[in-house]
Amino acid sequence: MTDLLVDFCSHEAALAACKRWHYSGCLPNQKLVKFGVWEEDRFIGAIVYGDGANGGMLRPYGLDYTEGAELVRIALDVHKAAVSQIVAMTFPRLREQSPGLRLIVSYADPERGHHGGIYQAMNWLYLGRTMA
């Protein structure tokens, strides 16, 4: 079993992780909830949630902006723990911080070779492709 810690982190730590380990090299310019990830006492990255780039992403579910979030960044260095385990460890703290949260949305970018395997491993619902 890997020694793994996931906890809130600073904007600077999340930004450094995204610059180093995420293909975008940046953080979105929106309200964010940032989690740092430490494995065997070494900072290995960040998991970041936001309001989402699509203002209408919650509309199909009858939810308002306070009831949903988008998983906007998974920025990790080489690690032993499964990404699905790392992301799942953020959920209790995210619920604590956002008690009205009912839905998390995320997108996989096939242009970057992403196929949603992380979300499949967590048994998330696949709802199809967007037009963007």
Side-chain angles (χ1 to χ4, degrees):
M1 171 142 285
T2 301
D3 180 24
L4 188 62
L5 172 68
V6 176
D7 202 354
F8 294 111
C9 72
S10 69
H11 182 84
E12 294 76 19
L15 179 59
C18 288
K19 283 183 175 181
R20 190 160 184 194
W21 300 306
H22 192 268
Y23 68 87
S24 72
C26 66
L27 280 172
N29 187 20
Q30 57 186 254
K31 181 180 173 187
L32 301 171
V33 179
K34 302 159 292 283
F35 292 94
V37 183
W38 293 262
E39 192 172 65
E40 298 175 356
D41 295 322
R42 183 176 71 87
F43 180 71
I44 61 160
I47 308 297
V48 183
Y49 297 88
D51 292 340
N54 176 359
M57 75 177 183
L58 300 174
R59 223 174 281 130
Y61 312 103
L63 302 176
D64 71 38
Y65 73 97
T66 65
E67 297 174 293
E70 181 184 339
L71 174 55
V72 295
R73 295 289 186 271
I74 297 174
L76 297 171
D77 191 9
V78 175
H79 51 87
K80 295 177 185 173
V83 176
S84 57
Q85 176 189 6
I86 294 169
V87 172
M89 289 177 71
T90 66
F91 297 157
R93 299 299 303 271
L94 186 61
R95 282 190 195 107
E96 221 175 79
Q97 192 270 338
S98 304
L101 188 67
R102 298 181 57 204
L103 179 70
I104 298 171
V105 174
S106 195
Y107 303 93
D109 186 352
E111 300 285 322
R112 297 290 184 165
H114 299 168
H115 66 286
I118 294 165
Y119 313 118
Q120 293 169 31
M122 293 188 293
N123 290 320
W124 286 24
L125 296 176
Y126 174 73
L127 300 175
R129 292 182 66 138
T130 63
M131 299 306 284

